[in-house]
């Protein structure tokens, strides 16, 4: 008689990188070229259920709304293989995912999927890993997923080998009342996903300089978070986003994620800051613009964002909680 199916369900939130990860020194195991810092996004959540079922002939994916790249089943199966190897099991699995936010629009949804998948798969396989081990493992599925294992403000280390590349908490979610106001200017799926994008980073002559300067940007960002000091945080967030997009634009082939409405929001956010409001912009591998603001200024920024042409919707997210078994 074959053993019974074993299931587990987990939830994780996406995150927005203040200091971006772009490019790998080892693409196969997603060893990032530089460290990164992010805020986990509260209220946005992906739930993943994994059922290892000895009666299945192959892994199966029932994806409702989650984004996991162009060939999701292969990518998820490869991730499950790592968990199966660790646990010494061979059963195929059914993976069911559900998200409460739009996929494919640069909201780092693969981070939430792979953080939740890692936790659910390990739980279902009977593996007992600590959060650093889970973070390291989540990174193999999606580089930014190592940060979504944790809540609040999180730093991921670059590392020279698999063992050193994981994330840790800088400060918990209640440390600072920041809010991410995500200006949605397009819901279309991006043409070039981040996995393909990372592979192009080293073709830009600007990437080496961006990577070499990363320790300085990480330092300014970490210190600004710890000291709750908004002006230097805002400047470094915008500079870091601009540096990543400069690398993207100068890759071969070039990657252009910013659209005219993205630029309009970016310009507006900078000018509102000059006028005294606590707000700055940052943009991932998509056209939507994350406006990082202080909770006390969020209402004002929200009403101003609604007047910027091209903004279709605004999603609000405060610092969120760590990923968890449900
Ligand atoms: O985790 P990936 O492979 O989707 O890469 C994330 C890349 C950025 O979102 C652009 C930057 C980041 O650090 O989240």
């Amino acid at each position: 008689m074959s053993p019974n199916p074993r299931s587990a369900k987990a939830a994780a939130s996406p995150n927005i990188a203040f200091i971006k990860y772009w490019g790998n020194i080892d693409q196969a195991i997603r060893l990032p070229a530089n460290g990164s810092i992010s805020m986990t996004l509260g209220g946005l959540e992906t739930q993943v259920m994994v059922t290892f079922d000895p009666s299945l002939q192959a892994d199966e994916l029932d994806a409702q709304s989650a984004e996991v790249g162009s060939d999701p089943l292969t990518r998820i199966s490869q991730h499950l293989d790592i968990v199966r190897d660790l646990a010494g099991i061979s059963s195929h699995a059914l993976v069911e995912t559900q998200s409460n936010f739009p996929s494919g629009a640069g909201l780092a949804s693969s981070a939430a999927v792979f953080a939740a998948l890692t936790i659910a798969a390990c739980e279902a396989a009977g593996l007992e890993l600590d959060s650093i081990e889970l973070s390291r493992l989540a990174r193999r599925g999606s580089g930014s997923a190592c940060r979504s294992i944790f809540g609040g403000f999180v730093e991921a280390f670059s590392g020279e080998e698999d063992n050193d590349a994981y994330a840790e908490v800088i400060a918990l979610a209640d440390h600072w009342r920041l809010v991410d106001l995500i200006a949605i200017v397009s819901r279309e799926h991006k043409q070039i996903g981040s996995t393909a994008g990372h592979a192009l980073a080293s073709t830009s002559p600007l990437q080496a300089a961006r990577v070499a300067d990363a320790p300085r940007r990480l330092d300014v960002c970490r210190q600004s978070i710890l000291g709750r000091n908004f002006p230097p945080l805002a400047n470094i967030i915008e500079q870091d986003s601009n540096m990543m997009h400069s690398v993207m634009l100068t890759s071969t082939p070039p990657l252009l994620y910013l659209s005219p409405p993205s630029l309009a929001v970016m310009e507006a956010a900078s000018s509102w800051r000059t006028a005294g409001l606590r707000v700055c912009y940052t943009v991932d591998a998509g056209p939507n613009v994350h406006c990082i603001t202080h909770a006390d200024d969020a209402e004002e920024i929200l009403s101003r964002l609604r007047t910027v042409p091209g903004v279709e919707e605004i999603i609000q997210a405060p610092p969120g909680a760590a990923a968890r078994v449900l």
Side-chain angles (χ1 to χ4, degrees):
M1 198 177 80
S2 68
N4 293 327
R6 287 187 297 178
S7 287
K9 195 174 186 181
S13 294
N15 64 76
I16 178 63
F18 291 174
I19 302 297
K20 315 277 188 204
Y21 140 63
W22 193 245
N24 290 308
I25 52 175
D26 184 333
Q27 188 83 0
I29 61 165
R30 297 178 197 270
L31 210 50
N34 63 276
S36 54
I37 291 178
S38 61
M39 180 174 99
T40 302
L41 299 177
L44 309 181
E45 191 174 86
T46 298
Q47 297 187 355
V48 177
M49 169 117 129
V50 175
T51 305
F52 286 109
D53 184 345
S55 71
L56 289 177
Q57 300 303 305
D59 291 327
E60 288 177 16
L61 173 65
D62 167 31
Q64 297 290 313
S65 57
E67 180 213 357
V68 280
S70 54
D71 188 2
L73 182 57
T74 304
R75 197 162 156 194
I76 283 179
S77 257
Q78 284 168 352
H79 200 61
L80 290 172
D81 283 343
I82 305 174
V83 175
R84 280 187 282 251
D85 269 1
L86 280 173
I89 60 173
S90 57
S91 296
H92 292 294
L94 168 65
V95 175
E96 295 161 278
T97 85
Q98 232 181 352
S99 283
N100 68 357
F101 59 96
S103 68
L107 300 191
S109 41
S110 68
V113 171
F114 281 97
L117 176 71
T118 301
I119 292 182
C122 287
E123 179 78 11
L127 283 172
E128 284 180 21
L129 301 186
D130 64 28
S131 51
I132 287 179
E133 291 167 317
L134 289 169
S135 172
R136 203 183 277 131
L137 193 53
R139 190 205 80 232
R140 302 281 296 273
S142 168
S144 56
C146 73
R147 302 186 308 243
S148 274
I149 295 292
F150 300 100
F153 302 87
V154 180
E155 176 162 4
F157 309 113
S158 51
E160 294 189 347
E161 53 178 15
D162 177 58
N163 219 33
D164 318 321
Y166 57 86
E168 252 175 21
V169 172
I170 297 176
L172 296 174
D174 63 0
H175 169 73
W176 200 5
R177 292 166 53 240
L178 296 184
V179 180
D180 183 7
L181 298 178
I182 311 163
I184 304 292
V185 300
S186 166
R187 285 177 177 278
E188 269 170 40
H189 272 259
K190 50 197 172 193
Q191 300 292 313
I192 308 268
S194 48
T195 300
H198 288 296
L200 296 179
S202 63
T203 66
S204 165
L206 305 185
Q207 170 73 345
R210 192 191 74 89
V211 170
D213 181 61
R216 178 193 67 88
R217 299 194 305 282
L218 288 163
D219 226 45
V220 172
C221 185
R222 192 187 314 108
Q223 293 312 324
S224 306
I225 289 170
L226 289 171
R228 300 188 193 91
N229 195 356
F230 198 86
L233 179 76
N235 290 335
I236 207 69
I237 285 178
E238 288 190 356
Q239 185 183 42
D240 186 85
S241 175
N242 293 341
M243 285 173 89
M244 182 182 72
H245 286 274
S246 302
V247 165
M248 291 163 159
L249 283 166
T250 51
S251 296
T252 307
L255 297 176
L256 172 57
Y257 290 110
L258 305 171
S259 65
S262 323
L263 294 171
V265 176
M266 291 161 66
E267 210 173 13
S270 295
S271 71
W272 298 334
R273 185 160 83 260
T274 307
L277 287 165
R278 282 167 290 183
V279 62
C280 65
Y281 66 77
T282 183
V283 190
D284 280 343
N288 298 323
V289 183
H290 295 249
C291 293
I292 309 300
T293 183
H294 189 277
D296 292 342
D297 291 345
E299 274 309 315
E300 177 63 28
I301 301 296
L302 196 58
S303 62
R304 291 186 184 207
L305 275 175
R306 290 197 183 105
T307 69
V308 179
V311 174
E312 293 170 9
E313 190 191 340
I314 301 156
I315 297 174
Q316 304 185 46
R324 65 197 192 282
V325 174
L326 293 172

